[in-house]
């Protein structure tokens, strides 16, 4: 059997989620994912009835595999979709479900205790994690905690162990933007889990969708192939932000964004000198949970490679806005010459990039070698690259 290698972003949202781009529709998602270099993209929000109807109108299932493509008259390209949704439980913890098909998503909607399934693309379920997992298992879904360390809605904001939430072992752990494998593998209970790195994107544009993704090996391009790959930890490499770029990496004030040591913050009863609230950061929470001071990677843990969106790198080095014509013209020129964004960020020789954009080549070389100087994120503010 010939195995296939894909780039997959398995957690995004639709235009029906709160604070999400109106352009988050199947056509635009498909077109922009090609620019990014993604092969498989989540549908997101698969329990929202209007979104499900839109997916049915825009997508065609490929040979009963649970994998979908766009109608040729909508957006003919090679992007494939997998049915997914994110749910919020009664403790405000978020869970990611990967679902066998759109048809199964329709069937599952009535199984949950919820006031209004269509109130938001990410519905608030009046059930706990174990109850949600029971339903997911009944329908042969893949389930795991979304952005597990996020201080507002991650599993570890409420529990000290995964089993306290689910009463059983989930299929994966999604790391989130403010952590990586090195941080997570200081926690002994996580050694048994497949790590997923996904964008949780609320926008289809390439500086958001695929900003974190997984390079995976599949026996076949199907829901069952994806399920087996995740359960067997056939992740070749995780790609994502330097965790210092995440909004909640350091412990910091949500008002003035002053950074605190976790112990100093707790001594101050999480109250900043400015009067604002201090929010515990991912790094601080991991320090509380850690079994070891340094990561102890299991033998099957894949490498974790940092990357940053190409448009944001161009914006930084040229001091122009991400959406300006100046940046977008240079972005399009790079894709025209080298194929797609992931190819530029990870594989194109630095010498080739230097011929097109010498400033960009320097910063790409820096992050490929984990040499970026980052002002870390905290208190809801993204980290920033300090570039001279």
């Amino acid at each position: 059997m010939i195995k296939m290698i894909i780039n997959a972003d398995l957690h995004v949202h639709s235009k029906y989620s709160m604070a999400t781009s109106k352009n988050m529709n199947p056509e635009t998602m498909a077109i922009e994912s090609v620019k990014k270099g993604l092969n498989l993209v989540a549908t997101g929000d698969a329990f929202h009835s209007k979104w499900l109807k839109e997916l049915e109108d825009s997508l065609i299932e490929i040979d009963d595999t649970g994998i979908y493509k766009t109608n040729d008259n909508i957006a003919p390209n090679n992007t494939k979709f997998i049915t997914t949704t994110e749910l919020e439980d009664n403790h405000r913890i978020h869970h990611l479900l990967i679902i066998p098909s759109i048809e199964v998503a329709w069937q599952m909607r009535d199984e949950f205790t919820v006031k209004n399934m269509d109130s938001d693309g990410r519905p608030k379920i009046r059930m706990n994690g174990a109850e949600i997992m029971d339903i997911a298992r009944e329908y042969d879904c893949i389930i795991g905690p979304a952005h597990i360390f996020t201080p507002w809605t991650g599993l570890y904001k409420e529990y000290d162990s995964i089993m306290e939430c689910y009463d059983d072992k989930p299929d994966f752990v999604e790391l989130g933007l403010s952590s990586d494998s090195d941080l997570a593998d200081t926690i002994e209970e996580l050694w048994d889990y497949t790590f997923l790195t996904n964008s949780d994107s609320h926008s289809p544009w390439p500086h958001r969708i695929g900003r974190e993704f997984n390079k995976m090996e599949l026996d076949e391009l199907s829901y069952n192939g994806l399920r087996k790959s995740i359960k067997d930890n056939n992740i070749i490499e995780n790609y994502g932000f330097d965790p210092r770029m995440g909004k909640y990496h350091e412990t910091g004030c949500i008002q003035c964004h002053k950074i605190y040591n976790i112990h100093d913050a707790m001594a101050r009863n999480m109250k900043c000198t400015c009067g604002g609230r201090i929010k515990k950061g991912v790094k601080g929470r991991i320090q509380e949970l850690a079994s070891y001071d340094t990561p102890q990677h299991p033998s099957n843990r894949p490498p974790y490679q940092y990357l940053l969106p190409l448009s944001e790198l161009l914006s930084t080095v040229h001091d122009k806005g991400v959406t300006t014509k100046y940046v977008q013209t240079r972005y399009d020129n790079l894709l025209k010459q080298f194929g797609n964004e992931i190819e530029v960020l990870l594989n194109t020789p630095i010498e080739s990039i230097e011929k097109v954009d010498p400033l960009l080549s320097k910063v790409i070389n820096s992050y490929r070698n984990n040499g970026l100087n980052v002002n870390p994120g905290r208190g809801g503010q993204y980290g920033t690259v300090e570039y001279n």
Side-chain angles (χ1 to χ4, degrees):
M1 179 182 293
I2 300 176
K3 296 181 182 293
M4 61 177 58
I5 308 299
I6 65 166
N7 295 328
D9 183 354
L10 301 174
H11 183 178
V12 305
H13 288 279
S14 75
K15 61 187 177 183
Y16 295 101
S17 276
M18 189 180 300
T20 303
S21 168
K22 65 181 180 180
N23 295 303
M24 208 63 166
N25 57 66
E27 177 181 1
T28 307
M29 291 164 66
I31 292 170
E32 299 303 317
S33 294
V34 170
K35 294 180 184 178
K36 189 72 178 190
L38 298 171
N39 310 112
L40 184 65
V41 181
T43 62
D45 300 352
F47 290 156
H48 195 287
S49 62
K50 289 183 179 179
W51 182 235
L52 281 171
K53 290 173 183 175
E54 191 166 336
L55 293 174
E56 288 179 326
D57 290 341
S58 302
L59 303 180
I60 301 171
E61 187 174 6
I62 303 171
D63 300 328
D64 296 321
T65 58
I67 303 295
Y68 297 82
K69 65 177 182 178
T70 52
N71 290 325
D72 288 343
N73 62 336
I74 298 290
N77 60 64
N78 292 322
T79 303
K80 305 300 187 296
F81 289 88
I82 186 79
T83 312
T84 67
T85 194
E86 183 182 21
L87 305 177
E88 181 175 298
D89 72 15
N90 57 6
H91 293 289
R92 293 197 65 215
I93 294 169
H94 289 185
H95 308 270
L96 177 62
L97 274 67
I98 305 175
I99 305 167
S101 68
I102 293 173
E103 180 182 1
V104 171
W106 277 115
Q107 295 169 2
M108 293 180 69
R109 277 172 44 90
D110 294 334
E111 297 280 359
F112 296 96
T113 304
V114 58
K115 184 176 181 180
N116 180 3
M117 188 64 86
D118 286 342
S119 63
D120 185 60
R122 181 183 55 215
K124 295 176 173 60
I125 307 297
R126 296 177 173 180
M127 304 168 78
N128 62 35
E131 291 168 325
I132 291 172
M133 175 181 273
D134 285 344
I135 296 172
R137 295 280 194 239
E138 183 180 345
Y139 285 89
D140 198 30
C141 297
I142 311 167
I143 182 172
H147 40 72
I148 191 169
F149 297 109
T150 303
W152 296 106
T153 56
L155 182 150
Y156 279 136
K157 69 96 178 175
E158 186 77 16
Y159 300 104
D160 290 335
S161 78
I162 292 173
M163 295 295 285
E164 287 179 37
C165 176
Y166 291 113
D167 295 334
D168 197 2
K169 183 181 176 183
D171 300 302
F172 61 83
V173 163
E174 184 185 68
L175 294 180
L177 301 184
S178 296
S179 63
D180 61 9
S181 297
D182 279 350
L183 289 166
D185 275 335
T186 62
I187 301 172
E188 188 172 2
E189 81 160 336
L190 295 182
W191 298 348
D192 290 334
Y193 289 93
T194 297
F195 289 165
L196 295 184
T197 41
N198 302 311
S199 70
D200 195 3
S201 182
H202 288 217
S203 164
W205 312 125
H207 64 286
R208 290 288 182 258
I209 201 165
R211 60 186 170 179
E212 298 207 343
F213 70 94
N214 312 275
K215 180 176 282 188
M216 309 175 68
E217 182 180 77
L218 274 63
D219 291 340
E220 61 180 15
L221 187 57
S222 67
Y223 173 79
N224 287 332
L226 179 69
R227 183 176 184 272
K228 184 176 186 298
S229 179
I230 291 174
K231 284 183 170 290
D232 293 348
N233 197 15
N234 288 331
I235 310 297
I236 295 172
E237 194 156 12
N238 293 111
Y239 294 91
F241 273 26
D242 181 319
R244 295 174 296 172
M245 295 293 293
K247 291 193 294 184
Y248 297 103
H249 179 65
E250 292 281 359
T251 296
C253 176
I254 62 175
Q255 185 168 310
C256 74
H257 304 297
K258 179 180 178 179
I259 293 176
Y260 283 86
N261 174 284
I262 183 61
H263 303 295
D264 293 340
M266 294 178 72
R268 295 188 57 83
N269 199 28
M270 307 305 280
K271 193 77 170 179
C272 181
T273 55
C274 77
R277 179 183 178 186
I278 301 171
K279 193 64 180 173
K280 186 184 297 183
V282 166
K283 190 172 90 172
R285 181 58 174 143
I286 289 175
Q287 288 172 344
E288 292 177 336
L289 296 166
S291 312
Y292 299 92
D293 293 332
T294 58
Q296 306 293 315
H297 297 300
S299 60
N300 62 347
R301 182 71 70 220
Y304 188 110
Q305 172 66 54
Y306 296 155
L307 82 165
L308 292 169
L310 181 57
S311 291
E312 292 187 358
L313 291 176
L314 287 166
S315 173
T316 298
V317 300
H318 293 290
D319 196 24
K320 303 286 185 181
V322 171
T323 59
T324 60
K325 184 176 181 181
Y326 184 96
V327 167
Q328 291 305 310
T329 297
R330 280 153 181 77
Y331 178 90
D332 292 340
N333 184 42
L334 286 161
L335 265 57
K336 183 177 180 181
Q337 294 198 47
F338 303 122
N340 60 61
E341 180 173 330
I342 290 172
E343 189 66 23
V344 174
L345 293 172
L346 298 175
N347 302 319
T348 301
I350 293 297
E351 297 78 12
S352 299
I353 300 173
E354 187 176 14
K355 292 176 183 178
V356 179
D357 193 322
L359 290 176
L360 179 67
S361 69
K362 291 179 181 178
V363 72
I364 288 181
N365 187 56
S366 293
Y367 86 69
R368 284 185 185 178
N369 293 288
N370 295 336
L372 284 179
N373 187 18
V374 176
N375 183 26
R378 68 278 193 184
Q381 183 179 75
Y382 283 111
T384 55
V385 176
E386 296 180 351
Y387 178 75
N388 298 320

